[in-house]
């Protein structure tokens, strides 16, 4: 980075300073984790029902060193270890978390081709190091972690059905998840600047579902359909949760071109996402098409080989992924993209 010192009278450059800032995005830190768990599966009613029970206890310790910002600067080739603008970004700290989690699952074989499933679980997640100590300066916005984040705890339930026949298979699941102290980003200020701070949400609610169908309509030619939806809400302040994907689906057609070559054509569709947090931008609906071809496995020098070819985003559609973490001025996903991959296996 070059800093120009200007003459206040005529605006001419009096001198220039070449400056390099040395920053540490994460402190020197250590993440210790240990746990014990037990799980068992019990058949019931002559194996028509399978009951699964499991439990786990975890202990996590996170330690970090003091972190300065900037660590040092270099001006005109000279290193300065204690510049006047240096501040303490993160103090030395130690955090201990411990909790338990468990799960109960039921699988019911209703018919030879139909299953019903049920799952209930208590979840636990200790915040990652990046969530505790994140510091990303985006110019007009800064993303900052929180070393005092509490662990997430949740209750999760899921019900589903699975059906499979000779030519068609179908599965559907619906879930409900209640989380306390969920870690999200909230709009705030940090040192007088606009910021997104890692924060705990008192109570968060997520529910939705997923449906998938595979239909082999002619010989080896198949049609694949899938769709999913998630609704996220901060029930403590009655606001939408951030970073929730919109309703989306995928339809694809696959089959052989020749005895040696197969193809896959897929269209991915996303609806608009207008249920957004206060700091988020809504995302318009979009769709893109991918085309792939791949060979059957063949041998080269006793190695299993397979070739893959593809054109992604064939129509060169300009779109923005609602969950993208792109920085700076780049806000849309890549356009038309060509790929070739050679896979070797022993």
């Amino acid at each position: 980075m070059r800093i120009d010192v200007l003459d206040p009278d005529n605006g001419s450059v009096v001198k220039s300073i070449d400056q390099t800032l040395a920053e540490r995005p994460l402190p020197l830190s250590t993440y210790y984790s240990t746990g014990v768990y037990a799980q068992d599966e019990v058949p019931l009613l002559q194996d028509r029902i399978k009951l699964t029970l499991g439990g786990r206890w975890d202990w996590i310790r996170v330690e970090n060193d003091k972190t300065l910002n900037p660590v040092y600067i270099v001006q005109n080739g000279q290193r300065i270890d204690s510049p006047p603008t240096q501040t303490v970004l993160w103090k030395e700290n130690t955090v201990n978390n411990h909790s338990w989690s468990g799960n109960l699952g039921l699988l019911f074989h209703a018919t030879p081709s139909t299953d019903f499933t049920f799952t209930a679980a208590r979840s636990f997640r200790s915040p990652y190091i990046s969530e505790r100590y994140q510091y990303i300066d985006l110019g007009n916005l800064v993303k900052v972690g929180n070393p005092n984040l509490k662990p997430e705890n949740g209750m999760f339930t899921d019900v589903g059905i699975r059906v499979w026949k000779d030519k068609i298979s179908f599965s559907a699941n619906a879930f409900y998840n209640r989380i306390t102290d969920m870690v999200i980003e909230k709009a705030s200020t940090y040192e007088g600047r606009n910021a997104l701070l890692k924060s705990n949400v008192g109570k968060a609610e997520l529910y939705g579902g997923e449906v998938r169908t595979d239909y082999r309509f002619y010989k080896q030619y198949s049609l694949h359909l899938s769709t999913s939806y998630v609704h996220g809400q901060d029930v403590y302040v009655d606001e939408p949760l951030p970073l929730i994907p919109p309703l989306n689906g995928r339809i694809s057609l696959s089959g052989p071109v020749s005895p040696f070559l197969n193809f896959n054509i897929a269209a991915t569709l996303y609806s608009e996402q207008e249920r957004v947090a206060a700091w988020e931008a809504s995302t318009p609906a979009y769709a893109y098409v991918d085309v792939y071809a791949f060979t059957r496995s063949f041998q080269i020098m006793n190695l299993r080989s397979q070739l893959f070819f593809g054109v992604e985003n064939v129509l060169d559609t300009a779109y923005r992924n609602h969950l993208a973490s792109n920085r700076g001025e780049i806000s849309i996903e890549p356009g038309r993209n060509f790929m070739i991959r050679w896979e070797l296996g022993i």
Side-chain angles (χ1 to χ4, degrees):
M1 177 176 62
R2 192 181 78 170
I3 301 174
D4 292 328
V5 181
L6 304 180
D7 188 316
D9 296 328
N10 54 29
S12 62
V13 177
V14 177
K15 67 176 181 178
S16 296
I17 301 173
D18 291 324
Q19 180 172 281
T20 302
L21 297 177
E23 299 177 326
R24 191 183 298 279
L26 291 175
L28 296 175
S29 52
T30 307
Y31 189 101
Y32 301 96
S33 175
T34 186
V36 293
Y37 73 93
Q39 182 164 304
D40 192 21
E41 184 177 283
V42 181
L44 302 172
L45 297 180
Q46 298 179 342
D47 282 348
R48 292 196 65 188
I49 295 178
K50 289 185 178 179
L51 171 66
T52 303
L53 293 171
R56 181 183 178 99
W57 182 86
D58 288 274
W59 174 79
I60 294 169
R61 181 182 179 90
V62 183
E63 300 176 350
N64 71 276
D65 295 343
K66 183 173 73 172
T67 304
L68 302 175
N69 183 40
V71 180
Y72 62 86
I73 64 173
V74 178
Q75 286 187 351
N76 295 331
Q78 181 180 0
R79 172 168 167 163
I80 304 174
D81 290 317
S82 299
T85 58
Q86 189 178 68
T87 59
V88 176
L89 181 60
W90 305 115
K91 297 180 180 179
E92 183 179 359
N93 195 28
T94 299
V95 177
N96 291 287
N97 295 147
H98 60 85
S99 186
W100 65 272
S101 56
N103 66 280
L104 179 151
L106 286 172
L107 174 63
F108 173 47
H109 295 293
T111 71
S113 61
T114 305
D115 284 345
F116 291 95
T117 62
F118 172 79
T119 301
R122 183 187 190 274
S123 63
F124 163 81
R125 187 183 75 85
S126 180
Y128 305 129
I129 288 178
S130 58
E131 292 173 322
R132 296 176 187 271
Y133 305 112
Q134 181 185 69
Y135 184 84
I136 301 176
D137 192 341
L138 303 178
N140 62 339
L141 182 73
V142 59
K143 292 189 174 185
V144 185
N146 181 357
N148 298 314
L149 287 172
K150 300 176 183 178
E152 295 179 346
N153 290 278
M155 297 298 296
F156 175 82
T157 55
D158 178 280
V159 293
I161 180 174
R162 301 183 300 188
V163 180
W164 59 93
K165 301 288 186 178
D166 290 339
K167 290 188 175 183
I168 190 170
S169 63
F170 170 84
S171 65
N173 287 78
F175 71 88
Y176 178 83
N177 199 358
R178 188 89 166 191
I179 303 175
T180 57
D181 294 322
M182 183 177 181
V183 177
I184 66 169
E185 289 183 328
K186 278 196 170 184
S188 184
T189 59
Y190 182 81
E191 296 181 344
R193 302 174 57 191
N194 292 330
L196 293 178
L197 302 182
K198 295 292 185 184
S199 307
N200 287 111
V201 170
K203 291 182 181 179
E205 181 181 71
L206 297 102
Y207 60 83
E210 181 178 16
V211 177
R212 178 183 176 89
T213 300
D214 298 297
Y215 175 47
R216 183 165 55 87
F217 59 92
Y218 178 72
K219 294 183 178 180
Q220 299 181 51
Y221 294 90
S222 298
L223 183 68
H224 312 272
L225 300 169
S226 64
T227 184
S228 62
Y229 172 75
V230 179
H231 179 100
Q233 187 78 2
D234 180 347
V235 296
Y236 187 75
V237 295
D238 195 25
E239 293 180 355
L241 289 173
L243 300 177
I244 299 297
L247 173 68
N248 64 89
R250 185 176 178 88
I251 177 171
S252 66
L253 178 67
S254 61
V257 177
S258 70
F260 183 68
L261 189 67
N262 291 276
F263 76 93
N264 181 275
I265 301 175
T268 303
L269 305 92
Y270 279 79
S271 68
E272 71 279 359
Q273 180 56 292
E274 296 180 342
R275 292 195 74 259
V276 295
W279 56 268
E280 282 187 299
S282 60
T283 303
Y286 62 89
Y288 60 88
V289 178
D290 302 322
V291 177
Y292 300 100
F294 54 95
T295 67
R296 300 284 179 90
S297 296
F298 57 94
Q299 295 292 120
I300 295 181
M301 300 177 62
N302 295 324
L303 295 176
R304 181 181 60 81
S305 295
Q306 194 171 11
L307 294 174
F308 298 83
F309 313 90
V311 183
E312 297 173 336
N313 195 359
V314 175
L315 302 179
D316 201 24
T317 303
Y319 66 95
R320 181 169 61 86
N321 185 342
H322 189 71
L323 303 184
S325 57
N326 300 336
R327 304 176 189 173
E329 297 180 356
I330 299 176
S331 59
I332 62 174
E333 297 300 305
R336 187 181 297 113
N337 185 43
F338 299 86
M339 58 84 68
I340 298 177
R341 189 172 82 244
W342 180 15
E343 187 176 283
L344 289 174
I346 299 175

